[in-house]
């Protein structure tokens, strides 16, 4: 029995020392120290010895077991330390490597332009508003001094809704211009007014410079003693902020039913600086020094009256034109067909 115990001690300690990893160590542990292992078997043998031999052999067996236990514990600790020591080579990472950026989108260029226009007018006290895209004829035309069947209406190639006509407000239309927002704002009866209405507008048209759905922005200022000078000042502010410090605006006499006097607004051409000439030739962009922006004028007294505002007490100006066109006139924006804007072609959109 003593020899067997001695033998086991040598074998088990050697096996533990030779275990190359945790799995091998565990296998050896089961073999020698497990419940059905060799040590347990010998312990049973000791228990079966005659009573006079038992205490001495029992003591020896316990000493052997203590040696084997320590051998196991030592090897386990050694393997742990080895593993931790190896982490530097097995689990390193380079914290200086740049991360992989997730793909990042951006707002549509028209949305971007709308934000820019909003910001420019908010800076001088105008408040951004939005009004219905499906509107009554009365707001889109009638209150704007264009009675039923007036030929001026033809210029707004209007979409009509397939809906019953209202006795008071007329037919339903898709807003052909943002000027209906003037009527909505005036009818609120809160004066003075400094509004900037930016909304979707619709017209039956589609070519290189027209899309059936586009955006307009409409400014309206109503106060005491507002004059054309104020209009010019606001427009010049916009031109400088949106297009650059060197740009100027020009008012050209025109006619709208809802303003009097009315103007078309031009902006000085960036390429020729408003001279119309470039190296002895006519400027190839504008040919005359100016580019057309949109319409404006002093709000017609009939419009104020229709909206319940007394034209003897209040006056003001309005202006309005397309966001897309204005954005496309910005320096460096080279879009040769307005329809590209709404095709949702990734190759186009990601260029901006
Ligand atoms: N609503 C006009 C258009 O769409 C432009 C305009 C707005 C003119 C405001 C005068 C005043 O053409």
């Amino acid at each position: 029995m003593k020899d067997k115990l001695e033998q086991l001690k040598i074998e088990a300690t050697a096996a533990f020392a030779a275990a190359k990893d945790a799995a091998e160590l565990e296998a050896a542990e089961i073999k020698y120290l497990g419940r059905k292992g060799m040590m347990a078997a010998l312990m049973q043998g000791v228990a079966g010895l005659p009573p006079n031999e038992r205490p001495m052999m029992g003591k020896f067996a316990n000493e052997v077991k203590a040696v084997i236990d320590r051998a196991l514990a030592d090897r386990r600790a050694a393997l742990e330390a080895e593993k931790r020591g190896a982490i530097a080579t097995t689990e390193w990472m380079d914290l200086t490597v740049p991360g992989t950026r997730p793909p990042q989108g951006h707002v549509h260029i028209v949305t971007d332009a709308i934000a820019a226009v909003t910001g420019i007018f908010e800076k001088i006290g105008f408040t951004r508003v939005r009004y219905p895209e499906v509107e009554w004829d009365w707001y889109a035309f009638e209150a704007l001094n264009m009675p039923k069947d007036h030929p001026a209406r033809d210029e707004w190639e209007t979409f009509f809704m397939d809906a019953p006509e209202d006795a008071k407000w007329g037919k339903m239309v898709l807003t052909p211009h943002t000027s209906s927002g003037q009527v909505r704002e005036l009818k609120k009866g809160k004066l003075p007014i400094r509004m900037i209405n930016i909304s979707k507008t619709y017209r039956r048209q589609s070519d290189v410079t027209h899309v059936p759905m586009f955006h307009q922005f409409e400014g309206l200022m109503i106060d005491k003693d507002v004059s054309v000078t104020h209009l010019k000042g606001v427009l010049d502010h916009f031109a400088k902020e949106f297009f650059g410090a060197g740009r100027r605006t020009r008012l050209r006499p025109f006619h709208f039913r809802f303003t009097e006097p009315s103007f078309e607004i031009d902006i000085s051409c960036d390429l020729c600086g408003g001279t119309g000439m470039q190296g002895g030739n006519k400027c190839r962009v504008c040919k005359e020094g100016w580019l057309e922006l949109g319409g404006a004028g002093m709000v017609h007294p009939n419009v104020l009256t229709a909206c319940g505002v007394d034209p003897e007490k209040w006056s003001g100006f309005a202006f309005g034109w397309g966001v897309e066109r204005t954005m496309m006139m910005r320096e460096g924006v080279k879009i040769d067909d307005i329809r590209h804007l709404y095709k949702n072609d990734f190759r186009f959109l990601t260029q901006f």
Side-chain angles (χ1 to χ4, degrees):
M1 177 59 76
K2 194 171 179 205
D3 286 350
K4 277 188 187 163
L5 283 165
E6 201 67 62
Q7 183 61 35
L8 180 66
K9 183 167 85 178
I10 293 162
E11 221 183 273
T13 49
F16 290 155
K20 286 195 290 294
D21 53 36
E24 279 188 31
L25 190 63
E26 200 191 331
E29 182 184 1
I30 291 166
K31 183 174 173 191
Y32 297 107
L33 293 172
R35 258 191 311 121
K36 291 177 186 159
M38 292 167 76
M39 189 71 222
L42 287 181
M43 284 298 205
Q44 260 176 22
V46 172
L49 288 174
N52 59 338
E53 288 177 33
R54 222 184 289 157
M56 242 197 42
M57 201 49 77
K59 187 165 173 267
F60 184 66
N62 280 336
E63 284 168 14
V64 167
K65 177 148 189 312
V67 172
I68 297 177
D69 279 345
R70 185 155 1 91
L72 172 68
D74 285 352
R75 186 63 192 146
R76 184 169 285 148
L79 283 176
E80 257 314 299
E82 232 172 70
K83 200 167 124 195
R84 235 176 288 125
I87 277 179
T89 47
T90 57
E91 293 187 21
W92 66 276
M93 60 176 162
D94 184 349
L95 295 175
T96 65
V97 172
T100 41
R101 275 180 193 281
Q104 201 178 15
H106 60 77
V107 296
H108 191 279
I109 26 172
V110 174
T111 309
D112 189 54
I114 288 172
V117 170
T118 306
I120 289 167
F121 287 105
E122 278 180 349
K123 231 185 195 173
I124 52 170
F126 283 68
T127 302
R128 167 91 193 265
V129 295
R130 267 168 256 229
Y131 288 114
E133 285 173 35
V134 181
E135 185 58 283
W136 299 109
D137 175 293
W138 191 85
Y139 288 86
F141 293 113
E142 191 124 1
L144 289 170
N145 202 26
M146 284 183 272
K148 269 197 184 62
D149 303 322
H150 195 283
R153 288 180 173 216
D154 290 353
E155 289 185 23
W156 288 269
E157 301 174 65
T158 311
F159 286 108
F160 289 89
M161 300 298 288
D162 194 4
E165 192 172 330
D166 184 89
K168 188 166 175 204
W169 308 114
K171 287 182 179 152
M172 267 188 174
V173 301
L174 294 183
T175 44
H177 57 171
T178 42
S179 297
S180 49
Q182 287 185 42
V183 180
R184 291 254 166 207
E185 188 71 24
L186 285 165
K187 268 179 65 85
K188 278 193 199 161
K190 279 193 210 139
L191 296 150
I193 292 170
R194 271 191 239 178
M195 105 173 172
I196 184 82
N197 173 32
I198 313 181
S199 306
K200 290 194 174 83
T201 42
Y202 303 84
R203 292 186 198 178
R204 289 181 286 110
Q205 52 185 20
S206 179
D207 57 42
V208 180
T209 51
H210 297 93
V211 274
M213 187 285 296
F214 58 108
H215 297 78
Q216 282 193 336
F217 59 102
E218 184 97 6
L220 175 69
M221 177 167 167
I222 303 288
D223 210 327
K224 302 274 164 71
D225 305 320
V226 182
S227 73
V228 176
T229 327
H230 298 111
L231 169 64
K232 179 81 166 89
V234 166
L235 294 174
D236 278 340
H237 165 75
F238 173 75
K240 288 191 170 70
E241 294 279 317
F242 193 82
F243 292 106
R247 309 294 282 274
R248 285 164 294 136
T249 60
R250 170 176 87 169
L251 302 185
R252 205 160 22 85
F254 201 70
H255 179 262
F256 293 105
R257 290 282 302 176
F258 38 95
T259 44
E260 179 60 34
S262 301
F263 308 101
E264 284 231 290
I265 302 149
D266 296 332
I267 181 157
S268 58
C269 172
D270 191 45
L271 209 66
C272 64
T275 61
M277 297 299 284
Q278 235 197 331
N281 298 314
K282 277 198 166 181
C283 175
R284 66 185 158 79
V285 168
C286 65
K287 299 192 178 68
E288 49 150 344
W290 298 89
L291 298 161
E292 188 188 313
L293 267 184
M298 302 308 289
V299 177
H300 198 291
N302 288 358
V303 175
L304 295 175
T305 306
C307 298
V309 174
D310 183 354
E312 296 297 329
K313 289 196 187 129
W314 301 93
S315 63
F317 60 78
F319 58 87
W321 60 88
V323 173
E324 287 84 349
R325 240 175 63 80
T326 312
M327 183 266 290
M328 285 163 67
M329 284 163 66
R330 242 178 173 174
E331 198 191 345
V333 180
K334 294 196 178 78
I335 301 173
D336 56 8
D337 187 332
I338 194 171
R339 291 169 297 190
H340 286 317
L341 292 172
Y342 295 114
K343 280 187 179 150
N344 276 343
D345 188 329
F346 223 55
R347 291 167 303 176
F348 171 78
L349 294 172
T350 49
Q351 290 175 45
F352 300 94

